[in-house]
Amino acid sequence: NRSDEQWSDDAVALLIEIARYHPNPGSDEATVFSGGSALTKSTPDYVTTALNCARGVAAVAIASLLWNDPNRFGVLRPAINQFEKDLHPSIRIAATRVSVPMLNIDKAEAVRLFLSLNSHPNDEVLRGHELSEFLGYALIGHFDELRPILERMIASAIGEVAKRGAEWAILMYLHTGKMKMEVDSCLVGSASQRAGVATILSRELPAGRCDDTCLRWSAALLDDADESIRRTIANTFWRSELYVRPYAHQMFGLFIKSRAFNPNIENALHGLKETTVPLTGCADIIHATVDRLTEAASALGANTGSSSQYLPDVLLRLYEQSEADPAKRRKCLDVLDKALEDRLGYNITKAVDD
């Protein structure tokens, strides 16, 4: 990338020429394919082709030039106009990168260009990383104009696109309160849509963004029919920040009653081990976790209980922090005895001795 250097007029003219007229890629051509095996045919990878074809590379270069010198826009405009007419999905993907520096030149024109480039009928154009970058900058400020793109993404038959559309919808709800109906639809929609909502909630709930609606959505995802989606939303409890939130106990109550809990108990114990809040306020969570571990051990047999690498540290820290509460300390010792009896923690005896 040499966009910060002084380009001669001839060099810029050649770049424009390539962007407008170079035959690579042809109308039905991809330079990169993905998937495929002895039994299945590989498919065009339009996202990677965008960076591996002549007109696509020219589009990326033009975007870089605009980042470094917005005054070049007038000279480069003929190439940018041609990108809107280019019928190849990869060129639309690459040219979407041009709309990002355009936000520093003319926001309304940048949004118009973005929408035009992504109006291509092939949903593959919605898979590009450049699209997500532009939405990250412009979505909240230009929501009304950009909303149709999100609706199209959510409805896409391409799973990756539908997942990203659901992610943007839940992000809009968390930051602005908009798109609640769309998120509700995703929760009863495809696995890709539900996975998108779960991915964002597992990241944003520990960060402090939650309301009663989010709790309702979380409860549904924790009992989702798809094990991978349950695992994704259970990542919420791995994050130590969750346990400083006022809704942590409510979230944990949903977790412990759900299908997601037993296979993901370690997430909760890791989060409790790493959290900075005193564990005395989480004693009920810890005790409930040990109870469930004991149930799992009983179900599997006395010698095959589920062991936890984080449980000893959590229990001993709770004991130490309960110095001013003899009743809580006694309860903690009872829980430690139960953990030892059921062999629920790795090296728990050594941890107690230390």
Side-chain angles (χ1 to χ4, degrees), residues 289-310:
T289 301
V290 173
D291 287 343
R292 290 297 291 271
L293 279 167
T294 300
E295 292 172 12
S298 299
L300 292 169
N303 296 319
T304 54
S306 298
S307 292
S308 166
Q309 62 177 311
Y310 305 115

Side-chain angles (χ1 to χ4, degrees), residues 38-60:
L39 300 176
T40 60
K41 185 179 180 180
S42 59
T43 57
D45 184 337
Y46 291 115
V47 173
T48 309
T49 293
L51 302 176
N52 290 275
C53 64
R55 298 198 307 281
V57 171
V60 172

Side-chain angles (χ1 to χ4, degrees), residues 12-308:
V12 173
L14 178 59
L15 177 64
I16 294 171
E17 181 82 6
I18 294 170
R20 297 180 71 185
Y21 303 118
H22 200 285
N24 175 254
S27 58
D28 296 319
E29 179 185 5
T31 59
V32 180
F33 290 79
S34 60
S37 66
L39 300 176
T40 60
K41 185 179 180 180
S42 59
T43 57
D45 184 337
Y46 291 115
V47 173
T48 309
T49 293
L51 302 176
N52 290 275
C53 64
R55 298 198 307 281
V57 171
V60 172
I62 286 170
S64 296
L65 289 175
L66 283 178
W67 267 120
N68 283 278
D69 186 1
N71 293 323
R72 294 182 185 269
F73 174 63
V75 174
L76 296 171
R77 180 130 202 185
I80 297 170
N81 289 344
Q82 183 59 36
F83 293 145
E84 294 184 66
K85 302 173 185 176
D86 201 305
L87 299 180
H88 200 289
S90 293
I91 306 310
R92 298 293 189 94
I93 291 169
T96 295
R97 188 174 297 198
V98 176
S99 61
V100 179
M102 281 289 298
L103 287 167
N104 296 323
I105 301 169
D106 184 333
K107 287 184 171 61
E109 175 61 16
V111 171
R112 187 207 65 76
L113 175 64
F114 173 85
L115 290 172
S116 175
L117 291 169
N118 289 284
S119 65
H120 193 286
N122 190 336
D123 280 0
E124 286 287 334
V125 300
L126 305 177
R127 290 181 57 236
H129 304 299
E130 296 80 5
L131 179 143
S132 293
E133 183 180 6
F134 184 88
L135 290 176
Y137 286 120
L139 182 56
I140 290 179
H142 298 271
F143 175 68
D144 289 339
E145 301 102 305
L146 295 172
R147 182 173 191 153
I149 284 279
L150 301 191
E151 293 171 344
R152 179 182 168 193
M153 292 176 72
I154 292 169
S156 177
I158 300 174
E160 179 186 348
V161 174
K163 180 177 183 288
R164 289 186 184 177
E167 289 174 354
W168 282 111
I170 180 64
L171 281 169
M172 280 302 298
Y173 175 79
L174 291 171
H175 288 270
T176 69
K178 299 175 181 178
M179 300 201 81
K180 178 178 178 293
M181 289 180 59
E182 287 80 358
V183 180
D184 276 330
S185 295
C186 289
L187 263 291
V188 294
S190 68
S192 296
Q193 293 168 342
R194 302 195 311 277
V197 177
T199 298
I200 297 302
L201 281 178
S202 69
R203 185 183 77 198
E204 296 294 314
L205 290 173
R209 296 185 178 89
C210 181
D211 61 12
D212 289 343
T213 300
C214 293
L215 291 173
R216 173 171 62 82
W217 290 334
S218 298
L221 292 165
L222 286 166
D223 273 320
D224 195 276
D226 189 316
E227 191 276 333
S228 67
I229 293 172
R230 298 197 301 270
R231 186 170 61 248
T232 297
I233 189 65
N235 288 335
T236 304
F237 301 91
W238 180 272
R239 301 275 297 276
S240 60
E241 310 96 284
L242 175 70
Y243 300 92
V244 308
R245 306 301 173 193
Y247 47 84
H249 284 67
Q250 195 171 357
M251 277 291 300
F252 199 88
L254 298 174
F255 185 35
I256 201 167
K257 297 174 186 175
S258 74
R259 295 171 66 186
F261 187 74
N262 277 0
N264 299 286
I265 287 175
E266 284 289 82
N267 287 6
L269 291 170
H270 173 272
L272 289 164
K273 177 181 179 291
E274 297 297 325
T275 189
T276 58
V277 301
L279 292 184
T280 49
C282 300
D284 56 337
I285 292 177
I286 296 168
H287 297 158
T289 301
V290 173
D291 287 343
R292 290 297 291 271
L293 279 167
T294 300
E295 292 172 12
S298 299
L300 292 169
N303 296 319
T304 54
S306 298
S307 292
S308 166

